[in-house]
Structure formats: structure tokens, C-alpha cells
Amino acid sequence: MSAPRVTFEVLTLFPAAVRAFASAGLLGRALERGHVAIETTDYRDFTEDRHRTVDDAPFGGGAGMVIKPEPVVAAIEHVTAARGPMHRILLTPSAPRFDQRVAERLAKLPRIALLCGRYEGIDDRVREHFVDECLSIGDFVLGGGEVAALTVIEAVSRLVEGVVGNPESVSDDSFAGGSALLEFPQYTRPAVFRGHAVPEVLQAGDHAAIAAWRLRASLARTWALRPELRPHAPWPDDVALYLAVPHAPGDDAEAWRDAIAKHRLEGVVVIGGQPESAVAWTKALGGRVAVAAFPDLRALRRRFRARGGEPWLVAISSGEADVGPGVADAATGAAELLDRLRTCAGGQRSAAVLLPPGALAALGAAAPDAAFAPDRAAQHVLALAPGAAIVDPSPPAGPAQWVERAIAALRGA
Ligand code: ADE
């Protein structure tokens, strides 16, 4: 067996926990096959007192205990003397964030030391004088650095040649190869599970169409779920915009109508309302706009998805001819309106839904379970209908300002 390409030296108070986790799954196999190696070293083996003390009270007072520098530095020096120099990384929440880019950099190194803290951390002189870099796996505080070290080990090992059987499954991953996009959705058999179908394009075998669908899905998902990555996943200009309106048209129906016309919105959806809401809106809008009611966002997403197969962006074709003037008068009824909205879906274009604050309240009413608690509503709207733009209702704004602000928010302005 040839030498491992990367060796991780984990310095910890819990070596058994690290070894136990590392022995499972893909990583365990990579260790067995010798693609990577993991050594563990216990700080406690480098204490000099009878009680094997590794921690002490912080200078300056305060809660908790701090790991003493002597056993940590002695452990580093021992490992270096025994097995050779290594790139020394301290795991701590007070550090730059570990990400795929960092993993790619580390995967090129032959020997990596991962120093795990516990309690209130390690005496800061270790960070200042005895390590090469510090990494955090996120803005939260773990009980110690072991899980963070294992996170680094897993992410780096997947990039080491031979560890993952099919290199394509690594290059398709979210963030792989410098990409800032989340991975596209993946499905397997059955093609229909409990009534939910896998997008047709994935079953048809047209590789160019599949690639285009996947790119679009990556962009949409990134846009919706990770606002800070929107510069890498701009909202496409060709989307069709729908407006989610309150349950009942109020006195300002005319203002809504003007805003819909001015911004050439495709139609109106009532979320969480009764079918009668659609009828009332149709009447209020003079019968010139497509209106449909959905019990909740999930239903809305299902409907759009069923038409176009796009997983995140709702797919609805745009264009005057599709939606058409005089879609219905009030007497037509919600069922036909919904039908119209359905049949205007061409699957070529994506649509966004603009959600005013009123629609959020409706959403809460329609799905009063814990997942839709008001403080999480915005998050869920994005998760379910990623084309949704949610606009802060203050200061009070009329339909015109609201629509303008929602569109600006969608475009990331
Ligand atoms: N140790 C405790 N919390 C941590 C975190 N978020 N990242 C890295 N190491 C840690």
C-alpha cells in the first residue's frame, strides 16, 4: 500500500470519539485503503502532575476553565518529532470560516494537525505562537473542537484522490471547484412518490436539457436560500412575476391594478384564501388579470412545478397572449380561473411571486403549525417559493411602492 496522500493529526482530549466516528462510512474505507490517515494524540498524555490536569482558571476571572498551554505545545512537539512537520490548525469559533475553498487548499497538504479545544478554549498563546491558522466551522459554539476537526477531515478527504469512487460526484457538489452555487436537486426512483413526481426533464434523457435545467435549478436555489450569494446567482431578467395579494381586495384595488399594469405582472395569486377571494379579486381588477387562489405556498409550488417541472422557480410562460385580457368575469368562478392559470404554463419561463406582508399573515393562517410560526415565516416562504420577495411593510406603502420595492428586492437591488 502506498503512503497516504493526507495525514490528519488530531490533538484532543477525546481521541476515542474521533477514531470512532472516523472509522465509519466513506472515511473509514479511505482509512482502510490508505488514501488518508488519521492519528490521534491525547493532551492528557503530556501533563506532568499526578491528576493529569489539563485546565486551569482564566487569568482576569470569569466563568469556566482554560486548557493550559504546556500539554498542548508538548503534544504538538511530540507529534512533530515522531512523525514530521505539519500544517497546524486550531479549531475555534473565533476564526475565519472553513469552507469548500479552504478544503480544496488543505487537500494539497501532506500533513495537517487539527487542535481541538474544550471548555473555554485553549490558552491564547497557543494561537499566537504555535499554530499556522485558525478555523471555525460556523457561527455557533460547540462543546469542543472535535466535531469541527471531523468536519474538516470529511470535507478534505472527499477531495483526496481515490477517496470518492466517482470523481464527478465531487465536482458536482455545492461549491465545488470555486463555484459559489448550491447543488441542484437530485432524485431517484420511484418517479412518482406519494403523488410527487420527479421533474420530467430528468427522465427524458436529453443531456443538454438536463444540464440547462440543473444550472437553472442551482441558480434559483442559491438565489432563494442564500441571499448573501446572490451576486453569483442573479435573478434572471426573463422571469414572469405574479403578485400575491391579500384575501380581500380593499379600497385600493385600483392602485393594485395600476401597479400590475405598470410592471406588467402576469397574474395574481391569493395564498391561504378561499376560492371566493379569487372571484372578488377578479372583479376588483376588472377581469383583465389572471387570478388564482391556493391554500398555501406548498400548493402554489406544487401547481407551478407540475406545469414546468422546475424545482424552485415556478414555471409559467409569459406574454399577453397566454394570460390574455378578459380572463374572466366574476361569474366565471375560481375553478376556471385556476384552470386558466394552469393552462398558461408553458414551462419555458420562470415566475416569481411577490408577497406583500398581508400574504404572509394569510400564510400563517393557512398553515398554523409550528413550522410557520410568524418569526420563521419569511424563511419558509423562501424555502417553499424561492421566487418570493418579502417586503418590509414599514413605512406604510401603497401597492405601487410595494410592488416597486418587491421587484427591487427580487433583483437584489
Ligand atoms: N469549537 C467550538 N465551536 C467551534 C466552531 N464553531 N468551530 C470550530 N471549532 C469550534
Side-chain angles (χ1 to χ4, degrees), residues 106-182:
L106 297 181
K108 300 188 179 103
L109 303 174
R111 287 178 48 74
I112 298 168
L114 298 163
L115 279 74
C116 308
R118 277 273 147 180
Y119 318 120
E120 294 306 304
I122 298 177
D123 184 299
D124 218 66
R125 285 167 291 187
V126 172
R127 169 207 290 261
E128 291 158 14
H129 305 292
F130 298 93
V131 301
D132 299 306
E133 78 176 297
C134 300
L135 290 175
S136 162
I137 61 161
D139 289 342
F140 42 80
V141 179
L142 300 166
E146 287 74 17
V147 168
L150 287 163
T151 302
V152 171
I153 292 173
E154 278 237 350
V156 172
S157 296
R158 299 185 83 255
L159 303 174
V160 172
E161 200 186 319
V163 171
V164 175
N166 179 356
E168 262 183 37
S169 62
V170 173
S171 63
D172 280 349
D173 283 347
S174 295
F175 312 117
S179 162
L181 300 182
L182 305 188

Side-chain angles (χ1 to χ4, degrees), residues 258-402:
D258 291 346
I260 289 164
K262 180 174 172 203
H263 295 283
R264 285 190 244 165
L265 305 181
E266 297 291 325
V268 161
V269 291
V270 187
I271 297 165
Q274 302 299 318
E276 297 83 81
S277 307
V279 178
W281 269 101
T282 305
K283 206 180 211 167
L285 296 172
R288 287 197 293 272
V289 181
V291 182
F294 296 91
D296 55 32
L297 277 176
R298 255 183 225 284
L300 172 80
R301 183 175 158 210
R302 260 200 304 276
R303 169 65 53 228
F304 285 138
R305 187 173 179 171
R307 301 308 311 165
E310 292 220 19
W312 292 92
L313 294 178
V314 288
I316 289 277
S317 68
S318 67
E320 302 263 313
D322 288 330
V323 177
V327 164
D329 58 37
T332 311
E336 189 177 337
L337 289 175
L338 182 55
D339 222 38
R340 290 288 186 111
L341 191 53
R342 274 183 212 150
T343 52
C344 77
Q348 298 307 309
R349 310 259 314 260
S350 298
V353 179
L354 307 180
L355 289 167
L360 268 190
L363 172 67
D369 54 72
F372 284 93
D375 60 328
R376 295 176 61 192
Q379 215 181 324
H380 278 278
V381 167
L382 285 179
L384 292 171
I390 297 153
V391 176
D392 182 356
S394 55
Q401 298 97 307
W402 179 78

Side-chain angles (χ1 to χ4, degrees), residues 25-98:
L26 198 72
L27 188 55
R29 217 168 50 236
L31 290 171
E32 274 169 23
R33 293 183 178 169
H35 296 305
V36 297
I38 298 179
E39 303 280 353
T40 55
T41 302
D42 191 339
Y43 299 130
R44 242 179 247 290
D45 293 339
F46 297 88
T47 51
E48 296 192 334
D49 64 317
R50 204 155 54 88
H51 301 290
R52 312 217 313 151
T53 310
V54 290
D55 57 346
D56 205 340
F59 274 120
M65 301 290 272
V66 176
I67 298 186
K68 295 156 67 61
E70 303 96 315
V72 175
V73 172
I76 296 173
E77 288 173 347
H78 168 83
V79 172
T80 304
R83 293 189 282 271
M86 53 211 180
H87 182 71
R88 304 165 181 184
I89 299 172
L90 174 68
L91 283 320
T92 162
S94 310
R97 186 80 62 83
F98 175 71

